[in-house]
Amino acid sequence: LTSLALAAGFSFIRSAATQHARPPALSRLTHGNMAVPPSYADLGKSAKDIFSKGYGFGVVKLDLKTKSQSGVEFSTSGSSNTDTGKAAGSLETKYNMKDLGLSFKQKWNTDNTLTSEVTLEDQLAKGLKLTFDTSFVPNTGKKSGKLKTGYKRDYVNLGCDIDFDLAGPTVQGAAVLGYQGWLAGYQMAFDTAKSKLAQNNFALGYRAADFQLHTNVNDGTEFGGSIYQRVNEQLETAVMLAWTAGSNNTRFGIAAKYQLDKKSSLSAKVNNASLIGVGYTQTLRPGVKLTLSALIDGKNFSAGGHKVGMGFELEA
């Protein structure tokens, strides 16, 4: 499987390298996007989206988004697990004050957790974003807070988060550097209570207009990589690899998304455990989207236990 993934990767690179020069407009778009690199969490995002979006196995879900005349955005979500029958829901409100660079967000869910978020962006300095995030559980009285900071400009994207814990805050930091398509990132977490490094991650990748490569090492034991390619306007493909030190098992997956027309798309993925996922998304009318998905266990096809899912997205 590892050899197959490497061969696929070299094939993607070779095909991209032998293509004719891109039109000037596309070239400008590529360089413009590379001016500010993505955050560490968004490295390899295109491949992750091909594997995650368009699926909802074992869940029936309804999402509703509306906006009032005063500019307040409401997002309501409800879901039911088809295996356990457990229902969950959430309500979120968001208000933006664009002139002041401020946004306010509040969220409540059926676990009875209340969260609030205040964000100030591009006011103290261009590219600087400050977010204060709090949560409160009325049943237990548990409270938590976190200060998030982010700064981005040409060729660099920095982030630092500090949670407010009386036992000792945890400081999380990340940095991504980008130049001519190449990306290098580092992420760390330091536990001040224990005076030790809790997280130590590295990433390296390359991004172009039609393909992306991403590799990462987490804590020196978890190794991963992904390849994303936009074959044409309708077809996108992705390959993901993961391996843990001390284990002979390499986790491997292939996924693709095909845009049937402007209103519908088909997604499919398979991994080395013979789990096959299929998803279909259809825009029924403007603001109404239906998603159907199924997860099939290829090793135990006749034994049953397969999962299906359905989702509705409404926006007004």
Side-chain angles (χ1 to χ4, degrees):
L1 291 176
T2 305
S3 300
L4 178 60
L6 292 174
F10 286 128
S11 176
F12 287 168
I13 298 173
R14 186 170 59 250
S15 63
T18 54
Q19 288 179 350
H20 295 293
R22 297 185 183 93
L26 184 57
S27 298
R28 289 194 297 269
L29 177 64
T30 303
H31 292 301
N33 287 343
M34 266 316 304
V36 178
S39 65
Y40 190 93
D42 287 338
L43 292 176
K45 185 178 183 297
S46 296
K48 296 175 186 175
D49 287 347
I50 298 298
F51 276 89
S52 60
K53 290 188 176 181
Y55 305 100
F57 308 128
V59 174
V60 178
K61 188 175 182 181
L62 173 65
D63 293 316
L64 173 62
K65 295 181 180 181
T66 59
K67 187 174 183 178
S68 67
Q69 293 183 351
S70 60
V72 180
E73 301 175 16
F74 297 89
S75 299
T76 306
S77 178
S79 63
S80 175
N81 190 300
T82 57
D83 292 332
T84 63
K86 182 180 179 180
S90 66
L91 171 63
E92 179 181 296
T93 61
K94 183 177 181 180
Y95 180 67
N96 292 317
M97 300 176 66
K98 295 182 179 180
D99 295 340
L100 301 177
L102 277 171
S103 67
F104 303 89
K105 185 187 297 184
Q106 289 187 322
K107 186 176 182 179
W108 171 88
N109 60 31
T110 49
D111 292 330
N112 207 20
T113 300
L114 304 174
T115 61
S116 299
E117 184 179 285
V118 181
T119 301
L120 178 66
E121 188 171 5
D122 290 335
Q123 296 301 305
L124 301 180
K126 186 66 175 178
L128 178 63
K129 182 177 180 180
L130 302 176
T131 301
F132 184 61
D133 191 355
T134 63
S135 66
F136 175 59
V137 183
N139 291 343
T140 62
K142 182 179 179 181
K143 303 175 184 177
S144 64
K146 179 179 287 189
L147 177 63
K148 304 176 182 178
T149 62
Y151 179 69
K152 57 185 179 180
R153 57 174 299 170
D154 291 350
Y155 312 115
V156 64
N157 194 322
L158 307 175
C160 182
D161 301 346
I162 303 175
D163 64 12
F164 297 96
D165 190 342
L166 296 179
T170 299
V171 181
Q172 298 176 324
V176 177
L177 302 177
Y179 183 70
Q180 293 187 352
W182 290 100
L183 297 167
Y186 174 68
Q187 183 186 56
M188 57 77 71
F190 184 77
D191 189 342
T192 59
K194 299 179 180 179
S195 297
K196 61 178 290 188
L197 203 61
Q199 196 176 54
N200 191 33
N201 305 334
F202 297 89
L204 182 66
Y206 183 79
R207 185 173 71 169
D210 55 356
F211 78 97
Q212 297 181 22
L213 303 177
H214 172 68
T215 59
N216 65 280
V217 181
N218 295 343
D219 297 323
T221 58
E222 293 282 343
F223 301 85
S226 65
I227 303 171
Y228 163 85
Q229 184 182 24
R230 176 180 287 276
V231 180
N232 51 47
E233 291 297 324
Q234 290 78 36
L235 180 62
E236 298 173 82
T237 62
V239 178
M240 294 189 74
L241 274 170
W243 174 70
T244 303
S247 171
N248 293 325
N249 182 28
T250 299
R251 301 180 296 279
F252 173 79
I254 301 176
K257 178 182 178 182
Y258 186 76
Q259 195 72 33
L260 299 173
D261 52 43
K262 293 183 179 180
K263 295 184 177 180
S264 61
S265 63
L266 182 66
S267 302
K269 61 181 179 179
V270 62
N271 62 16
N272 60 298
S274 299
L275 293 177
I276 305 167
V278 180
Y280 175 76
T281 301
Q282 174 74 49
T283 300
L284 303 178
R285 54 177 296 180
V288 181
K289 184 184 293 185
L290 169 67
T291 300
L292 302 173
S293 58
L295 180 65
I296 302 169
D297 188 349
K299 290 183 178 179
N300 302 289
F301 186 81
S302 59
H306 313 300
K307 295 183 179 183
V308 296
M310 180 175 66
F312 273 104
E313 295 181 27
L314 308 176
E315 186 171 355

